[in-house]
Amino acid sequence: MKIIVDAFGGDNAPLEILRGASLAKKEYGVEIVLTGDKEKIEKCAAENAVDIAGCEIIDAPLVMEAEDDPRAVLKGKLDSSMGAGLTALSEGRGDAFVSAGSTAALVVGGTFLVKRIKGIKRCAIASVMPSDKGPFMLIDCGANAECEPRYLVQFAKMGSVYMEKVLGISSPRVGLANIGAEETKGTPFVRESYALLKETASINFIGNAEVRDIPFGVCDVIVADGFTGNVILKMYEGVAGMLVGNIKAMFKKNLVSKLGALCVMGGLNEFKDKMDYKQYGGAPLLGLTAPVIKAHGSSDARALMNAIRQAKECCEKRVVETITQGMQTADGE
Amino acid sequence: MKIIVDAFGGDNAPLEILRGASLAKKEYGVEIVLTGDKEKIEKCAAENAVDIAGCEIIDAPLVMEAEDDPRAVLKGKLDSSMGAGLTALSEGRGDAFVSAGSTAALVVGGTFLVKRIKGIKRCAIASVMPSDKGPFMLIDCGANAECEPRYLVQFAKMGSVYMEKVLGISSPRVGLANIGAEETKGTPFVRESYALLKETASINFIGNAEVRDIPFGVCDVIVADGFTGNVILKMYEGVAGMLVGNIKAMFKKNLVSKLGALCVMGGLNEFKDKMDYKQYGGAPLLGLTAPVIKAHGSSDARALMNAIRQAKECCEKRVVETITQGMQTADGE
């Protein structure tokens, strides 16, 4: 199995990316194809003693920057580490692609270079997130700020396939993100989505997921339009980040509070592990003809390694093939 | 000053409501008008030794239940504690109304009984919420799941008046809740709202409030459509509730962890105070011709007392009058 890795995506590229790829190569026995400026990759690896021997390198001198128009990945910056990686994937020069670069560019590039599965209206960003009761998937997390209700049905199906195949959850419970549990709640868009989801026999739809309950773990797949999904994702990150920052400051205040931290060290670590989103890898872009994984922009070597493991699992568990088959069944549309 | 109080709204009615009203009467020197079943109010007060001497009671035997159609407050349940309170307010039998009952019914009843200020398209629920850097207002928190961009301009103006008058923040910074800081982010609705807000001279619009940054305190007034605002509010409550629950469990685990809690008691209490939304009272419904305060459904006596103080401040600081004047200026529409 061959995983293509964008060596210049994310805040810690290329060093942490190379480290992660090197680790994944040893740990998971995958072949690695690195994309990006060949000279810089080799220099960075040599200077930091990162073993990239045996990794193929596709030379692509440019880098998609955060401030670039996402569409540049198709034209002016097709020869970037991301553009080259997506092109290589579309040409079958690897089995999956991992990038910690710009999400918007990855969505545009994935859609037009790797292309969508036949029948899929929109690809979606699917994040596996921690809850009090274990992981759940939120889909769409921001690929499509505007959606039609029928897109949400496809998101529900694709998310169900992923959670079943990759996380081993049988008959994943699907919930619709909404501002109340009752069927009549929300906007006309949400109510119409509810009606369509309810009619879809191939998913296990359990109704509205009241937003307040999401962090407590209410179902396995939560579907939303990309705007709402992104608000949920970012409020999760923002509130957790703010609270954790305050808790840390509280423990660091003085000698007595530091003693307090020691007293609850076990519990703190357990909780940290439970909430560690990095263990689930990155966010798969679902709906494309090959696995594309968006690793977090702040990915370190371990996060990138996990994203590569996730890419490998997507291939092994035949996520793309299963979604494709699903599109051919009766309620595929 | 006379504050009308719904004695049968919320999870802890009537006892905690009566207690809160009694405390507020003594503490703030306001007159209290209680609405609800007179016999039950008097019995509850007598049995629990709550001093309601001097409180006027408007007898209204019915109660708006959570499962009632909100419109019932206008017809079948006009004679409920909420319907009677809103009617009394509209007739000038009190200066403001406080209820911990159903939000949806309060919005409907407020709109059709108390009525909107001339020119105001929709009334909005405005929550004052804690952030890392102090309180901010989120408006609309759910009165209007669907909005037009021009409503958001009115929300921004009303929120600014409240924050300036009641919380003493001069020239409150207004941000638009969005999934990115750039002007081009979000849905067409959000972008159109951005353009209108930018043109509005009477507010201090600072651009998009990236949702991830909201808990850290990015501005004084955050405007959103009611669906998005409700998602933000509930994710805030949900994530904070889940994390705090885990932290509590961690401290309670064993003797050593309990010692740990003692070591950080001071910091824990400081943090708890910073995050205590009850200190700001309830959520004002802005845009009506008289102050209406929605107290939290789980309000205890202290929360209700704070909501009454807030109602008093709205009257004293002439929030309704200032919003009304603002509607008559050049960019009022």
Side-chain angles (χ1 to χ4, degrees), chain A residues 132 146 178-179 188 210-212 227 230 234-238 242-243 246 253 256 263 270-271 274, chain B residues 132 146 179 188 210-212 227 230 234-238 242-243 246 253 256 263 270-271 274:
Chain A
D132 208 29
E146 274 192 300
N178 204 349
I179 56 172
E210 153 67 78
V211 170
R212 189 187 278 116
F227 185 88
N230 201 261
K234 284 177 172 168
M235 279 302 292
Y236 210 134
E237 291 182 357
M242 187 272 286
L243 291 175
N246 273 280
K253 212 169 178 184
V256 177
C263 293
E270 251 174 59
F271 182 55
K274 185 159 99 174
Chain B
D132 208 27
E146 273 192 300
I179 57 173
E210 153 67 80
V211 170
R212 188 187 279 116
F227 186 87
N230 201 260
K234 284 177 173 168
M235 278 302 291
Y236 210 134
E237 290 181 357
M242 188 271 287
L243 291 175
N246 273 280
K253 212 170 178 183
V256 177
C263 294
E270 253 174 56
F271 181 56
K274 185 159 97 173

Side-chain angles (χ1 to χ4, degrees), chain B residues 191-230:
Chain B
R191 287 194 296 270
E192 204 185 314
S193 302
Y194 188 106
L196 285 186
L197 287 163
K198 206 175 155 183
E199 281 167 13
T200 307
S202 61
I203 57 166
N204 179 15
F205 181 57
I206 61 160
N208 284 326
E210 153 67 80
V211 170
R212 188 187 279 116
D213 302 329
I214 290 178
F216 295 94
V218 283
C219 51
D220 305 304
V221 177
I222 292 179
V223 290
D225 64 87
F227 186 87
T228 303
N230 201 260

Side-chain angles (χ1 to χ4, degrees), chain B residues 161-162 165-166 291 311-325:
Chain B
V161 167
Y162 186 93
K165 294 279 173 187
V166 179
K312 178 177 176 256
E313 285 173 355
C314 282
C315 296
E316 286 172 351
K317 308 285 174 63
R318 303 179 62 78
V319 169
V320 169
E321 292 79 358
T322 313
I323 293 173
T324 309
Q325 276 165 17

